[in-house]
Amino acid sequence: MSKNLVIVPTYNEKENIASIVEAVFVLAKPFHVLIVDDNSPDGTADIVKRLQQAEGNQDRLHLLQRQGKLGLGTAYIDGFNYALKEGYDYIFEMDADFSHNPADLENLLYACEVEKNDMAIGSRYVKGVNVVNWPMGRVLMSYFASKYVKAITGMPFADSTAGFKCYHRSVLETIELEKIRFIGYAFQIEMKFNAWKNGFKIKEVPIIFTDRTKGESKMSSAIFKEAIFGVIELKLRSLFKKYPSRN
């Protein structure tokens, strides 16, 4: 049986953290959860520590506490390094706010474990536009951002900015994690780009994305700007790098 870890970065997620952990643990497939908390002033980490004391959670719920708000990308990199060190086979990225449905973890795992893909992307746009509760302006911005990324990089994915993913450990072992440059949502593009350029087999799995109902969004203009200009930088850097063939 595979060993699976769901990485959930948090900053001020006290309204959601207990519920999201419970929603993962009730799934039929066994998943462990790693919370990577950026010193949330609302006490998110304290809630996780209490949850760790519950019966059956000691070996399934893990916590990394960082010293400040260091960015989404570095949170996931720290989580990836933890997962590889601890011997996990499949490693997942998931938001804490229920914009990603925990039940879809099993579909992402199926795409990798059973269908033998190296990476699975929870895609909002592979079958139309499946977004709930977003203003139309944000839907259009997100949709056309993926079109922009596809045009610049050549990646074939409908949802290149998606943050709900499953990796087989071999992907993370191959990507030079210490060289990942971006810390905001451009991080999501950079990871897909590296996996794709390294020749891994990647599948988009349709999901329904639901905007958070509790807590505050972490999106900012600086994060959006990093993604826009970071895509061009990614493409330019790739022109001077040799990638392996996996055919």
Side-chain angles (χ1 to χ4, degrees):
M1 183 178 294
S2 63
K3 192 176 177 184
N4 314 311
L5 181 69
V6 183
I7 302 172
V8 183
T10 56
Y11 184 77
N12 287 349
E13 292 289 354
K14 69 177 182 180
E15 295 96 342
N16 296 303
I17 193 62
S19 297
I20 200 75
V21 169
E22 180 183 2
V24 174
F25 285 171
V26 299
L27 296 173
K29 290 285 187 179
F31 294 90
H32 290 194
V33 174
L34 171 65
I35 305 299
V36 184
D37 186 70
D38 274 5
N39 197 28
S40 298
D42 72 347
T44 297
D46 293 330
I47 296 173
V48 176
K49 290 175 184 176
R50 290 198 294 271
L51 293 171
Q52 286 179 308
Q53 303 308 310
E55 184 178 355
N57 284 0
Q58 292 89 345
D59 296 327
R60 298 180 68 187
L61 180 58
H62 312 281
L63 173 65
L64 284 179
Q65 287 183 270
R66 307 201 304 168
Q67 295 306 305
K69 195 173 182 183
L70 304 175
L72 180 76
T74 61
Y76 275 126
I77 295 297
D78 286 348
F80 294 156
N81 286 322
Y82 177 94
L84 295 175
K85 179 181 177 183
E86 297 297 323
Y88 287 94
D89 301 301
Y90 295 99
I91 299 97
F92 299 77
E93 296 182 22
M94 190 177 75
D95 290 348
D97 60 6
F98 284 95
S99 55
H100 303 142
N101 185 346
D104 286 324
L105 288 167
E106 294 186 323
N107 297 330
L108 296 178
L109 179 61
Y110 184 90
C112 290
E113 186 177 36
V114 177
E115 298 180 340
K116 302 304 179 185
N117 293 286
D118 303 302
M119 179 178 171
I121 301 168
S123 177
R124 297 163 291 186
Y125 307 128
V126 71
K127 288 188 175 179
V129 177
N130 292 300
V131 177
V132 177
N133 290 343
W134 261 7
M136 182 55 66
R138 190 166 179 187
V139 173
L140 291 173
M141 182 177 71
S142 172
Y143 179 78
F144 285 108
S146 284
K147 293 287 189 183
Y148 167 77
V149 172
K150 186 174 184 178
I152 298 294
T153 65
M155 286 195 293
F157 312 123
D159 193 354
S160 54
T161 63
F164 193 20
K165 303 200 287 293
C166 172
Y167 304 88
H168 185 266
R169 63 177 293 119
S170 60
V171 179
L172 300 179
E173 289 170 332
T174 300
I175 294 173
E176 297 174 293
L177 296 175
E178 71 280 1
K179 294 184 179 179
I180 297 296
R181 297 278 297 275
F182 300 117
I183 62 173
Y185 285 92
F187 164 82
Q188 304 292 6
I189 302 168
E190 186 173 12
M191 288 297 294
K192 294 183 192 70
F193 185 74
N194 275 277
W196 174 64
K197 292 293 284 186
N198 275 285
F200 286 106
K201 187 179 178 184
I202 303 170
K203 179 178 181 179
E204 288 189 271
V205 176
I207 65 164
I208 296 175
F209 179 95
T210 304
D211 195 21
R212 68 163 62 233
T213 58
K214 297 179 181 179
E216 296 181 358
S217 172
K218 311 303 188 296
M219 178 62 76
S220 70
S221 59
I223 289 173
F224 184 70
K225 187 182 296 184
E226 180 195 59
I228 293 295
F229 294 104
V231 171
I232 299 172
E233 182 182 338
L234 272 180
K235 179 63 176 178
L236 291 175
R237 277 196 276 130
S238 73
L239 298 176
F240 301 96
K241 183 175 179 179
K242 183 174 288 188
Y243 296 89
S245 172
R246 297 181 184 275
N247 296 331

